């Protein structure tokens, strides 16, 4: 990197220590070199001298002097380390890592699943002593916000939040048709797993089903053809959003498992995947305060939203 540069701290980087932020962005630069830059005042925060332990705030500006470029061979190794470098990081601090999971990436392995997030966790250590830990899941075909714990203590705290329903999760979905929702938007239908192993699906079942509640809101509609829904699951059942949408007769687009042919509209044939995106997540941070993270629509889903004329912020 040549010349003095000024780098703004992103929303997802708020709360990080300056030295950790620097190592995340410039891992090829030795810590001793960075310490020397701090001591001599060449690295500054909002124009002022600072220490490596300074906590960053979104919008602050870090002044950086010329830095050595990463060796080409090192850059190549990082880009291919378990495919993890291709994952977009939405937030990182000492206890939590939040990534933007792409559609098609399974969270854990299984029969016939060769590539999965669990197999990439070593590549997501950054400078942590421990391997990140999974604390919740997203379906393989669902994209968006996924939280990882960077320590055992953080994992226990986060798992407790998810288990106790103390996490506010918001999803965006496109569904076939326009549903007539209850006044409060509440879809309360017990769900149970049915079918033989390997061919299981979740269905509404009053007899042996487990309590499941989703709050749905219509954001926009395209005539009577399709609707953009905001979905907030108050419980965390497997395939809950997919099963609930299918049960009211309006399956999520691309969801052949639960919607059959009804889930594939003639007007939306270019995007061949589940139109479900984990838009945002809000929870108590294991350290202190609250963490809220948001993920933009990926390019493929944006094409479908644009096709129906929906105005994405």
């Amino acid at each position: 990197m040549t010349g003095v540069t000024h780098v703004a701290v992103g929303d997802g980087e708020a709360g990080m220590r300056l030295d950790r932020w620097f190592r995340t962005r410039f891992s090829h630069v030795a810590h001793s070199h960075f310490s020397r830059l701090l001591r001599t005042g060449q690295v500054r925060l909002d124009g002022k001298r600072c220490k490596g332990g300074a906590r960053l705030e979104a919008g602050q500006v870090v002044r950086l002097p010329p830095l050595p470029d990463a060796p080409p061979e090192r850059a190549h190794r990082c880009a291919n380390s378990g495919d993890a470098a291709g994952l977009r990081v939405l937030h990182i601090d000492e206890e939590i890592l939040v990534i933007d999971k792409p559609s098609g990436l399974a969270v854990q392995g299984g029969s016939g699943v060769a590539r999965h997030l669990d197999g990439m966790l070593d590549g997501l250590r950054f400078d942590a002593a421990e391997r990140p830990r999974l604390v919740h899941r997203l379906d393989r075909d669902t994209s968006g916000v996924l939280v990882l714990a960077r320590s055992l203590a953080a994992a226990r705290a986060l798992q407790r939040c998810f288990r106790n329903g103390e996490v506010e999760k918001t999803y965006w979905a496109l569904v076939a048709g326009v549903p007539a929702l209850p006044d409060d938007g509440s879809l309360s239908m017990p769900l149970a797993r049915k079918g033989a192993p390997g061919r299981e699906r979740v269905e509404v079942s009053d007899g042996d089903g487990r309590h499941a509640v989703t709050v749905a809101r219509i954001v926009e509609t395209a005539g009577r053809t399709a609707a953009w829904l905001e979905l907030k699951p108050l419980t965390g059942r497997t395939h809950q959003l997919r099963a609930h949408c299918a049960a009211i007769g309006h399956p999520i687009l691309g969801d052949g498992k639960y919607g059959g042919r009804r889930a594939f509209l003639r007007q939306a044939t270019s995007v061949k995947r589940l139109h479900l995106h984990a838009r945002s997540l809000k929870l108590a941070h294991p350290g202190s305060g609250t963490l809220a993270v948001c993920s933009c629509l990926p390019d493929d889903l944006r094409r479908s939203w644009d096709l129906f004329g929906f105005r994405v912020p």
Side-chain angles (χ1 to χ4, degrees):
M1 187 172 77
T2 59
V4 172
T5 59
H6 295 82
V7 182
V9 176
D11 292 339
E13 297 169 326
M16 291 180 70
R17 286 170 53 108
L18 176 61
D19 51 7
R20 186 179 296 275
W21 174 89
F22 185 87
R23 286 197 298 271
T24 300
R25 285 180 172 252
F26 307 100
S27 60
H28 63 285
V29 179
H31 179 68
S32 58
H33 183 75
F34 175 65
S35 298
R36 185 165 61 254
L37 295 177
L38 282 172
R39 286 196 307 272
T40 56
Q42 296 182 69
V43 173
R44 294 183 175 240
L45 186 59
D46 284 345
K48 300 177 181 178
R49 283 179 174 262
C50 52
K51 295 183 178 181
R55 294 286 178 178
L56 299 178
E57 297 178 6
Q60 286 187 305
V61 176
V62 181
R63 176 201 184 275
L64 297 171
L67 298 173
D69 293 328
E73 65 275 9
R74 180 182 176 90
H76 178 74
R77 284 200 305 273
C78 290
N80 291 281
S81 178
D83 293 331
L87 299 177
R88 180 169 176 246
V89 173
L90 299 174
H91 173 88
I92 185 171
D93 60 40
E94 293 181 354
E95 296 168 289
I96 291 179
L97 170 65
V98 186
I99 65 167
D100 203 358
K101 189 189 86 66
S103 174
L105 176 63
V107 172
Q108 291 182 302
S111 178
V113 180
R115 182 175 180 266
H116 50 83
L117 180 62
D118 194 31
M120 302 178 183
L121 294 182
D122 280 321
L124 291 169
R125 280 189 185 221
F126 295 102
D127 60 344
E130 301 179 47
R131 189 174 186 258
R133 291 171 167 85
L134 298 168
V135 294
H136 72 121
R137 299 183 184 185
L138 291 178
D139 288 350
R140 180 175 184 164
D141 293 329
T142 302
S143 55
V145 178
L146 185 75
V147 176
L148 302 169
R150 303 192 75 203
S151 68
L152 178 58
R156 288 172 174 166
L158 292 171
Q159 287 167 348
R160 187 163 53 248
C161 283
F162 281 97
R163 186 170 57 248
N164 295 339
E166 298 169 348
V167 181
E168 182 180 320
K169 295 174 282 187
T170 301
Y171 291 75
W172 282 355
L174 291 189
V175 300
V178 179
L181 299 173
D183 290 341
D184 63 356
S186 179
L187 305 177
S188 181
M189 292 170 276
L191 299 174
R193 294 192 184 196
K194 305 287 185 179
R199 302 184 66 181
E200 288 181 317
R201 51 180 283 140
V202 175
E203 298 178 0
V204 173
S205 177
D206 293 324
D208 56 351
R210 300 178 67 190
H211 177 64
V213 181
T214 301
V215 176
R217 180 177 72 88
I218 296 175
V219 181
E220 280 193 73
T221 63
R224 305 304 300 173
T225 303
W228 168 7
L229 297 187
E230 177 187 84
L231 301 170
K232 293 179 178 288
L234 303 188
T235 51
R237 309 302 177 210
T238 300
H239 293 180
Q240 176 176 317
L241 302 182
R242 298 167 65 182
H244 275 174
C245 288
I248 62 174
H250 299 275
I252 297 173
L253 297 190
D255 192 2
K257 182 181 181 74
Y258 287 95
R261 296 179 63 182
R262 172 87 168 119
F264 298 92
L265 299 180
R266 177 177 51 81
Q267 297 92 330
T269 58
S270 62
V271 181
K272 306 290 187 181
R273 63 103 148 177
L274 182 70
H275 285 57
L276 181 63
H277 181 67
R279 166 65 173 171
S280 65
L281 184 146
K282 183 177 180 180
L283 50 70
H285 193 283
S288 63
T290 301
L291 175 68
V293 186
C294 180
S295 165
C296 296
L297 274 180
D299 291 342
D300 57 349
L301 289 190
R302 183 175 285 272
R303 289 200 301 272
S304 288
W305 260 250
D306 289 344
L307 178 67
F308 289 107
F310 296 144
R311 298 179 297 275
V312 181

